[in-house]
Amino acid sequence: MAFIRKKRREQQLQLYSKERFSLLLLNLEEYYFEQHTANHIRHKGSQNERKIRGSLKICSKSVIFEPDAISQPIIKIPLRDCIKIGKHGENGANRHFAKVVSGGISLIFSQVYFIKEHNIVAPYKIERGTMEYVFELDVSGKVEGVVETLLQLHRASCLDKLGDQTAMITAILQSRLARTSFDKNRFQSVSEKLHMECKAEMVTPLVTNPGHVCITDTNLYFQPLNGYPKPMVQITLHDVRRIYKRRHGLMPLGLEVFCTEDDLCSDVYLKFYERQDRDDLYFYIATYLEHHVAERTAEGYTLQWQRGLLSNYQYLLHLNTLADRSCNDLSQYPVFPWVVGDYSSSELDLSNPGTFRDLSKPVGALNKERLERLLTRYQEMPEPKFMYGSHYSSPGYVLFYLVRIAPEYMLCLQNGRFDNADRMFNSIAETWKNCLDGATDFKELIPEFYGDDVSFLVNSLKLDLGKRQGGQMVDDVELPPWARSPEDFLQKSRDALESDYVSEHLHEWIDLVFGYKQKGRDAVGAHNVFHPLTYEGGVDLNSIEDPDEKVAMLTQILEFGQTPKQLFVTPHPRRITPKFKSLSQPSSYNASTADTPVSPGEESFEDLTEESRTLAWSNITRLQLHEQHKIHKEAVTGIAVSRSGSSVFTTSQDSTLKMFSKESKMLQRSISFSNMALSSCLLLPGDATVVSSSWDNNVYFYSIAFGRRQDTLMGHDDAVSKICWHDNRLYSASWDSTVKVWSGVPAEMPGSRRHQFDLLAELEHDVSVDTISLSAASTLLVSGTKEGTVTIWDLTAATILHQIPCHSGTVCDTAFSPDSRHVLSAGADGCLNVVDVQTGMLISSMTSEEPQRCFLWDGNSVLSGSQSDEPFSSRKLPVCPVPWTFPSRSWLVRPSASPGLRDIRLQNGSF
């Protein structure tokens, strides 16, 4: 799958360079600096002297010689094992040479590795003992410079402290980068315009390659410092389809670029030395993409998955990509769940729930007895506590699965050795059993288990992976009885992943790995707590001053594995499986009220007589709680209902906009525009767009049809508290003490050019504005402020008609009567006040037992909601009754206004 395709790309690059050498021959965190054509002089000065032609490669921690003849092994000499480095023939007492015999470099050392003899991938052979090798460069004039470089790197390798070693090598690298620059002769066209150039490293699994990045108006370039595996990597911006900022070693320094729509394997992954460089490059590419490529969000993918437009496999791939998982970074390799729990039966019964793993629990919690032992240890552990000492995804686990297709990666990770034969990936059933019973084994799977390439299950390279205790050689992976072949195993695994059971429960696993059960109290309750170093923000490497501690911490982070970036902070909606689809199909987004059919037995209030409407309001106290749905983690701040009554849209202080289906009683969408609270929402005419206001100073326009944000209005200097819409005009209230009137139509479809909203008027207040409301004709506006003032505005002239200080605290809600003759306001002081619009006089006031947060009224009767968990209150105000048309369905939606409650309620009345 992803890794296999990545490896094949690298093999193609090696064919280009015609080398056996690869960066995987280096140690972790080692750099390849330069190469020189040379001869390895065997038995120098004797009758048996012979020359082996090849290439001498200078690396930050080793010297590597690659012979041209593949029958000869690659030689790797660690610099820390070198006893003496100098020109051949120098005076042994001095490091600086009085006499030069030839262009030879002499290395005296105590240990050497022999690798890939006859081009066979196998554990490294090691020879120990004092010995001398001589390498003769083709260009003898370079000998002195190479020796000086080797001596400098040797000093770094011999420093006592690892942090000091790393610091010195980093200084050498940065000096080399500073002395070079991007070769602009490599531009594809002389007319290209340079935007920026900076230093970076190209990231590949386990290793990185330093060089220079350059971006022009048409291309992105990376030029490796060492020219390996080819002199230039070039990507045409027109071909770019996706770009993501990445964490690398838990630091926000990575950038990954894709020229494909759905492939998990990117075209280039770059790690920058400065975050600003990364952000600037991202900005240039993102600006280009804004006009060419549609934006991709977790919410958009969730919507497609819910509706069956994405398979479970595709959806998990997208979530992994959005959560910083990459096949270029083995510490953040894409993670997939074990879904089958039966590896002993002769047939795989996908209709039996017992066949499957419990997706609501992490692997570590699947065995009750093991979990009890882990929890006992957890309770006794000092802070910071964790339940699992190893992660569900790490470089070691990834290569455990992929050793047969990527043996060189395993050798790189384990210093030239394969793992013990009995600990290898020998059997699917054994691996699953160990994940259930092992004291420290909690690993999940990788995408390859649900792909179509069987090579990771088959020892097609005929690798010598060792002999098990029973005497059998490690060869192909042993499959469960229900799989007739590797191809059959993968096919049935894919069938299981796409089965009804997994489709109905996959959201539970997503909650654990990508969602709200990943961190905090919910993670503790779900027994899903890993070591703090695995989480984003778990450690600030920049705050660690001790270089040894910093290097050790980074090494631990890279080798231990990392938890995915958290994508969801509320429960993930379940998939709309076939048995629910008929209930959850939305009605036409553009259907008007007149076009909406009325179900048999269901009356429309527009058809009622005045007497019937009066009777309906008189029976309002007979409202009964019909349904209650907890869909938010914080207080609900706004509700909008579609004209058909089938969909309810809610905003909350948990920063999400939710779409709830009344018919299927299911959460259909969850959208987050930022990490700040949303304060209100409304539906535009036609029910095709939801508008939400946010505490991040913005107003967001969300397309229901396309499932993504289509416009953003950045019009205030503080939180937007309330919005209204009438006749293509948006009215926005803000804590910046203004109400603004905007003219404009949002973009008709996502991806189209953003519309510029025109500011028509700005209504200034002395303090924060918390609520607004429009009159029926939208010629008047009433605003309520933080200090309790109600202001009535004439919108035709943008002037104040009346300013009435009628509350002792914040004004929670305001509204005009249907005939616009009166204004009702509810305040935090518990008062409900009625003001006459013409005179500005307070003509009625009553006090409730507690503050009323929101209300509906018909000019006579008020239906209000308080901060408690009690039903709406109904009361009459001493104002002349006027006709009022109630919404066209006999049910009400109310939010729980209590800060601790996050549900919406549907209430039925006997009208």
Side-chain angles (χ1 to χ4, degrees), residues 152-194:
Q152 188 180 33
L153 293 170
H154 178 253
R155 286 195 296 272
S157 297
C158 293
L159 293 173
D160 293 335
K161 293 185 177 181
L162 188 61
D164 293 338
Q165 293 180 26
T166 302
M168 186 170 178
I169 291 173
T170 299
I172 294 170
L173 170 63
Q174 292 300 321
S175 175
R176 284 175 166 262
L177 288 170
R179 295 197 304 269
T180 59
S181 62
F182 183 86
D183 182 6
K184 296 177 179 58
N185 292 322
R186 296 280 183 178
F187 281 178
Q188 296 294 299
S189 169
V190 294
S191 62
E192 284 187 66
K193 181 180 178 181
L194 175 67

Side-chain angles (χ1 to χ4, degrees), residues 380-584:
E380 298 170 351
M381 187 181 296
E383 295 291 346
K385 295 183 176 184
F386 54 89
M387 296 176 185
Y388 309 114
S390 61
H391 205 252
Y392 50 78
S393 176
S394 69
Y397 286 160
V398 172
L399 296 176
F400 168 84
Y401 291 127
L402 297 177
V403 64
R404 289 167 178 81
I405 189 64
E408 292 171 271
Y409 292 85
M410 178 65 82
L411 294 173
C412 176
L413 184 67
Q414 300 202 149
N415 298 315
R417 301 186 303 272
F418 290 131
D419 203 352
N420 181 281
D422 287 295
R423 291 197 298 267
M424 298 285 275
F425 181 32
N426 294 303
S427 161
I428 304 291
E430 283 182 12
T431 301
W432 170 243
K433 185 177 185 302
N434 201 53
C435 288
L436 288 180
D437 301 334
T440 60
D441 193 349
F442 315 108
K443 60 179 171 286
E444 293 278 9
L445 296 182
I446 56 177
E448 281 75 5
F449 277 82
Y450 304 102
D452 54 13
D453 193 322
V454 301
S455 57
F456 77 102
L457 299 171
V458 181
N459 188 14
S460 58
L461 299 177
K462 302 304 178 185
L463 300 168
D464 183 0
L465 298 173
K467 184 182 292 186
R468 304 189 67 182
Q469 288 184 356
Q472 68 271 37
M473 296 297 295
V474 175
D475 197 25
D476 297 347
V477 176
E478 182 182 338
L479 303 175
W482 46 258
R484 296 186 300 272
S485 65
E487 291 80 6
D488 186 51
F489 172 76
L490 292 188
Q491 180 59 57
K492 288 178 177 174
S493 296
R494 287 195 298 273
D495 293 343
L497 181 63
E498 304 301 335
S499 65
D500 287 343
Y501 178 89
V502 174
S503 293
E504 292 172 13
H505 294 274
L506 186 58
H507 64 283
E508 297 172 331
W509 186 83
I510 292 171
D511 284 336
L512 296 169
V513 177
F514 302 106
Y516 81 108
K517 291 183 180 179
Q518 186 194 90
K519 299 177 183 178
R521 290 181 298 176
D522 291 310
V524 175
H527 305 134
N528 193 40
V529 182
F530 295 85
H531 195 283
L533 284 181
T534 68
Y535 294 94
E536 183 177 19
V539 62
D540 182 5
L541 289 174
N542 291 325
S543 67
I544 301 176
E545 296 182 357
D546 184 272
D548 288 337
E549 182 184 353
K550 188 171 186 176
V551 171
M553 191 77 71
L554 180 60
T555 301
Q556 187 174 356
I557 288 169
L558 293 176
E559 294 183 0
F560 193 85
Q562 298 175 45
T563 299
K565 179 181 178 181
Q566 189 174 26
L567 300 179
F568 308 101
V569 294
T570 57
H572 191 283
R574 65 186 299 172
R575 194 174 195 185
I576 304 172
T577 51
K579 62 184 178 182
F580 296 125
K581 278 184 179 176
S582 62
L583 294 175
S584 59

Side-chain angles (χ1 to χ4, degrees), residues 34 140 185 261 294 357 409 445 534 660 683 692 708 759-760 770 803 840:
E34 61 190 52
S140 60
N185 292 322
E261 293 288 351
R357 165 255 182 109
Y409 292 85
L445 296 182
T534 68
F660 184 85
L683 273 166
S692 300
R708 62 164 295 226
L759 181 61
L760 299 180
D770 284 285
Q803 200 166 35

